[in-house]
Amino acid sequence: MLPQWTIEKKRDGAALAPEEIREFIAGFTTGAIPDYQMAALAMAIFFRGMTPVETAALTEAMMYSGDVLDTSVLTAPKIDKHSTGGIGDKVSLVLAPLVACCGVAVPMISGRGLGITGGTLDKLEAIPGYRTNLTTREFLDVVARCGCSIIGQTDRLAPADKKLYALRDVTGTVPSIPLITASIMSKKLAAGLDGLVLDVKCGRGAFMKERAAAAELAHSMVRVGRAMNKKMCAVLTAMDQPLGRTAGNALEIVETCEALQGRGPADLMEVTLVLGAKMLQLAGLANSCDTAQALLAEKLKSGEAWRKWLEMVQLHGGDVAALEDTARLSRAKFIEPLPAQQSGFVVQADAELIGKACLVLGAGRTKTTDAVDHAVGVSALLKIGERVERSQPLATLHANDAARLAEARSLMQSAFQISAQSVSEPPLLLEEITS
Ligand code: URA
């Protein structure tokens, strides 16, 4: 089958056979099929979509474009969690050690932040010495020893996705449900998992702004995972305001440490416990959400989860002393409060604008090659429904550059809306997708 015949077939709206998809992805991975033909196929998929069978075949072809980890040395059930990304989302950092304490193996391959959404790897690299680039052998060894490890995607894991994602980024083909499904699932499943819990974010600060699109993506990923015999479930969670009270790499490490010592903000803990309970249920280690949440709460209370976090960080070469005394983490030159312009109740804390402020401060990147500044970001964020008095702080800004601080200050002022009318806290958990 010539590549152009496959492109024409999809362009005209027909379903591709799994074998055609495999051949095309194999050719693209080796370079036999040039970028322009892959880009044309991606655009045809963008407009014509894919059936569940095609999406599963694309995922499988991309997953097997590189190594699939042999995790058979790990005897515990191997369950991971994936978030589609948001502002202040440090759930993975709390969740991995927490569920590992309950007997789940968590071989987690995470990403870097791009645009306004933060990345787990950037946050971890705010811990001096933490290595996110372990070899496969070291990675499995850390999981075998302490139950969890968080690293970055290697060149050998789903290389077709790495190439295709870069191409989609510059050809207007990112927002396609089958392409996103195959991209996320191929990388995650290449880590040799038994099951995966998906946190699909929805709202202003998320990739998916609309609930219907977020639900469609969640269904698509659950369907593909199940077709590949993985235990799957998904939860749709709100991302209209940041999760927790911090956004920015070192600041989020501080909040993670607080959470693992039982002092986490309510919204962060709610999402963490719901996703953690799903992981325990998929692992067969709890038969109800209540039992699972009680077990997780006990691991936080006893200090086991905190000790597991320190152990994981140490096995990655990270400086544990900087977690025990977070004043040792990098600190910004300018730290200033953002005063409220009027008294009242917070009715909006726009995650997108807060994410943009963090990006302006240097906490994120606009190109994959940009460096991030670990010290900058925002902390002490007020949440929707909370009361504030005029000139009292809505948040604290952390900056290393006066001009960037001025720009971020203005974005932050427009992110918050204050009203004399109180509003109730908006729901965080929107929907569970189990079938
Ligand atoms: N994240 C990914 O890894 N891939 C996509 O296509 C979108 C978000």
Side-chain angles (χ1 to χ4, degrees):
M1 187 96 172
L2 288 175
Q4 52 269 45
W5 296 348
T6 304
I7 298 167
E8 286 162 12
K9 194 168 165 186
K10 183 45 67 187
R11 178 201 65 195
D12 296 340
L16 303 176
E19 189 45 40
E20 274 173 273
I21 296 172
R22 269 195 292 278
E23 229 179 83
F24 204 100
I25 294 298
F28 173 61
T29 308
T30 60
I33 292 183
D35 284 1
Y36 55 81
Q37 284 185 310
M38 185 71 240
L41 182 63
M43 189 57 87
I45 294 170
F46 176 88
F47 280 114
R48 292 295 193 170
M50 278 185 139
T51 65
V53 172
E54 287 177 287
T55 309
L58 180 63
T59 307
E60 202 163 11
M62 283 169 47
M63 169 178 156
Y64 286 108
S65 66
D67 295 346
V68 174
L69 297 193
D70 176 5
T71 49
S72 54
V73 289
L74 305 172
T75 49
K78 295 159 284 284
I79 311 288
D80 194 2
K81 168 267 196 191
H82 176 80
S83 157
T84 55
I87 317 301
D89 183 0
K90 68 279 296 167
V91 170
S92 291
L93 301 177
V94 185
L95 196 57
L98 179 57
V99 297
C101 290
C102 305
V104 178
V106 190
M108 190 179 276
I109 300 191
S110 286
R112 296 191 179 279
L114 189 60
I116 60 166
T117 56
T120 299
L121 296 185
D122 299 321
K123 296 171 204 198
L124 283 167
E125 286 173 357
I127 305 169
Y130 189 101
R131 284 178 57 215
T132 54
N133 61 348
L134 301 187
T135 62
T136 303
R137 182 183 288 231
E138 288 171 322
F139 176 53
L140 292 178
D141 187 48
V142 173
V143 182
R145 286 170 72 180
C146 85
C148 55
S149 172
I150 309 178
I151 61 162
Q153 187 185 2
T154 68
D155 287 342
R156 296 165 64 103
L157 281 180
D161 171 62
K162 211 167 187 174
K163 271 184 94 177
L164 179 55
Y165 194 81
L167 205 52
R168 286 167 57 211
D169 207 21
V170 292
T171 56
T173 49
V174 169
S176 147
I177 300 272
L179 293 176
I180 298 171
T181 300
S183 169
I184 292 175
M185 296 297 289
S186 63
K187 282 191 287 260
K188 276 288 171 185
L189 298 184
L193 303 174
D194 298 319
L196 179 64
V197 174
L198 297 162
D199 179 8
V200 180
K201 300 281 184 203
C202 172
R204 293 172 195 278
F207 192 52
M208 293 285 163
K209 312 273 182 223
E210 303 300 330
R211 172 117 172 225
E216 194 187 336
L217 176 62
H219 278 290
S220 173
M221 291 194 287
V222 167
R223 211 186 289 121
V224 161
R226 295 233 171 107
M228 294 167 82
N229 292 320
K230 305 297 173 190
K231 294 178 180 158
M232 298 292 304
C233 76
V235 181
L236 254 54
T237 63
M239 185 33 76
D240 288 310
Q241 60 175 335
L243 195 58
R245 295 192 185 270
T246 61
N249 302 299
L251 297 165
E252 292 191 55
I253 292 294
V254 176
E255 197 168 42
T256 298
C257 291
E258 289 165 358
L260 283 162
Q261 292 174 90
R263 291 180 276 114
D267 60 342
L268 172 64
M269 297 322 291
E270 185 182 346
V271 176
T272 303
L273 292 179
V274 165
L275 297 174
K278 298 274 173 223
M279 290 173 80
L280 295 191
Q281 287 176 279
L282 287 194
L285 296 171
N287 48 23
S288 79
C289 185
D290 288 348
T291 324
Q293 290 213 13
L295 186 58
L296 295 166
E298 175 50 36
K299 299 294 179 191
L300 283 168
K301 192 159 169 238
S302 66
E304 244 184 281
W306 167 244
R307 289 192 292 277
K308 182 66 75 185
W309 162 242
L310 297 182
E311 185 186 0
M312 181 190 83
V313 168
Q314 187 157 41
L315 288 171
H316 281 254
D319 178 8
V320 168
L323 302 180
E324 286 168 328
D325 173 12
T326 51
R328 297 167 72 142
L329 293 170
S330 49
R331 192 179 155 82
K333 204 154 51 160
F334 307 106
I335 300 178
E336 66 163 47
L338 178 81
Q341 312 285 341
Q342 64 184 88
S343 298
F345 296 91
V346 177
V347 292
Q348 183 184 287
D350 188 320
E352 186 171 16
L353 290 173
I354 296 172
K356 281 186 180 160
C358 291
L359 192 58
V360 163
L361 289 169
R365 49 172 78 76
T366 46
K367 302 194 293 296
T368 45
T369 47
D370 288 348
V372 300
D373 183 341
H374 290 127
V376 302
V378 293
S379 65
L381 287 163
L382 287 197
K383 315 290 299 181
I384 295 175
E386 288 181 334
R387 180 157 179 97
V388 67
E389 302 308 323
R390 188 177 134 82
S391 78
Q392 290 303 300
L394 291 164
T396 304
L397 306 188
H398 301 247
N400 272 327
D401 176 279
R404 286 173 179 240
L405 174 59
E407 198 182 334
R409 193 188 292 127
S410 142
L411 282 163
M412 288 295 290
Q413 284 292 3
S414 46
F416 282 95
Q417 270 180 27
I418 311 292
S419 160
Q421 296 286 307
S422 67
V423 288
S424 48
E425 228 178 283
L428 199 49
L429 303 173
L430 304 177
E431 197 173 326
E432 280 183 21
I433 288 160
T434 49
S435 60

